[in-house]
Amino acid sequence: MKYKAILLDIDDTLYCYERAHIFAIKNIITYFKNKFKLDEETILLIYEKARKKVHLDLDKTAASHNRLLYFQKMCEILDINPLKFGKKLSDLYWNKFLENLKVYDGVYDLLEKYKNSICLITDLTAYIQYQKIEKMKINRFCEKIVTSEEAGVEKPHPNIFNLALQKLGMKTDDVCMIGDSFSKDIYGATSLNIDSIWFNHKNIKKKYKKNNIIEVTSFKEILNLV
């Protein structure tokens, strides 16, 4: 192995986030249509308004991604009791999301290669990330995780990466960061001089000068690099 350990993002790196989200939000739309007789356009507009409000109020915190808060805000906007429907909506969303979570090809090969030398780094809240990890059976391969909820900051803040290094007992030149977000995963890691592999499966065009970044579009490429 080229590195002693790897730092690994979860969402949209290990699986297709958009695919799971589409199924989940359709489940919410169906529920609102049947329960409250709202049309799809109205439901999506209110969801987006609620999401933006939560992000604005809780900027750069793990809680800003909390779907329960999104649905609480939706209920409040619609003058619906959030204590009656908020958790139900959150459960409807996440149950369908997890049901449709599909791991990218090659992920398990990488996890096997670096078994027990991996620290997951994620911006979301711990509880739902643990559910995703269990669904994908990633806990067979790694024992360490840092969430932004635990670190108190989101990527690309250095504290979240330093906490991962601390848990692994590694130095910056011992590890490689693998993630899909250039602004969060790659920028955050390379700012600490950590080698990074940008899993650019969406083929985003980006100019950058740092020579410790390698851009790939598949896990097969990643395996050949690490």
Side-chain angles (χ1 to χ4, degrees):
M1 296 188 300
K2 183 176 179 180
Y3 298 97
K4 293 180 180 179
I6 57 173
L7 311 180
L8 190 59
D9 176 51
I10 296 176
D11 296 295
D12 234 10
T13 295
L14 300 183
Y15 72 95
C16 180
Y17 176 89
E18 187 61 25
R19 178 183 185 275
H21 171 71
I22 287 171
F23 279 101
I25 204 67
K26 282 182 178 178
N27 209 30
I28 294 299
I29 290 168
T30 299
Y31 182 82
F32 268 100
K33 279 183 174 180
N34 294 335
K35 186 70 178 179
F36 304 111
K37 310 304 178 188
L38 295 170
D39 63 89
E40 182 172 338
E41 183 179 1
T42 299
I43 297 164
L44 289 173
L45 283 171
I46 294 171
Y47 175 83
E48 189 60 22
K49 183 178 180 180
R51 188 190 70 82
K52 287 181 177 178
K53 175 63 175 171
V54 172
H55 275 262
L56 184 64
D57 292 344
L58 301 171
D59 187 35
K60 295 184 175 70
T61 69
S64 69
H65 305 284
N66 192 325
R67 294 302 186 283
L68 179 55
L69 294 181
Y70 294 3
F71 297 126
Q72 176 185 311
K73 292 293 182 187
M74 285 186 75
C75 289
E76 290 170 352
I77 291 168
L78 292 166
D79 199 25
I80 297 167
N81 186 351
L83 299 181
K84 186 175 180 180
F85 294 102
K87 183 180 181 300
K88 181 175 182 62
L89 289 165
S90 181
D91 290 343
L92 284 170
Y93 179 91
W94 284 119
N95 289 341
K96 186 60 69 173
F97 187 102
L98 293 168
E99 188 181 308
N100 290 279
L101 198 156
K102 183 174 173 57
V103 177
Y104 286 125
D105 291 340
V107 165
Y108 292 123
D109 294 328
L110 176 70
L111 295 175
E112 182 63 44
K113 185 173 183 178
Y114 277 88
K115 190 173 183 177
N116 297 327
S117 297
I118 302 165
C119 186
L120 302 168
I121 303 181
T122 176
D123 277 344
L124 292 174
T125 54
Y127 181 74
I128 188 58
Q129 296 306 75
Y130 269 69
Q131 288 185 284
K132 293 175 188 175
I133 288 164
E134 288 181 1
K135 174 68 176 180
M136 293 186 283
K137 296 181 171 59
I138 295 172
N139 46 11
R140 295 178 294 165
F141 305 97
C142 55
E143 302 172 345
K144 295 174 175 61
I145 183 172
V146 176
T147 64
S148 55
E149 185 175 25
E150 175 189 6
V153 291
E154 288 198 321
K155 295 177 287 186
H157 198 286
N159 285 4
I160 197 167
F161 295 94
N162 284 327
L163 183 53
L165 291 172
Q166 180 184 324
K167 289 190 178 189
L168 287 166
M170 300 286 175
K171 298 178 182 178
T172 55
D173 55 358
D174 293 328
V175 304
C176 177
M177 176 70 206
I178 301 170
D180 72 294
S181 172
F182 191 94
S183 62
K184 287 178 171 284
D185 303 316
I186 307 309
Y187 177 78
T190 54
S191 294
L192 295 172
N193 295 316
I194 296 172
D195 288 353
S196 295
I197 296 175
W198 182 21
F199 181 36
N200 187 17
H201 55 88
K202 295 180 180 178
N203 292 306
I204 298 168
K205 303 301 179 184
K206 182 81 176 177
K207 291 183 179 180
Y208 50 90
K209 296 180 180 179
K210 293 188 177 183
N211 56 14
N212 58 343
I213 300 171
I214 298 177
E215 186 177 338
V216 302
T217 57
S218 72
F219 268 84
K220 184 178 180 179
E221 293 175 83
I222 295 173
L223 274 168
N224 292 332
L225 293 168
V226 298

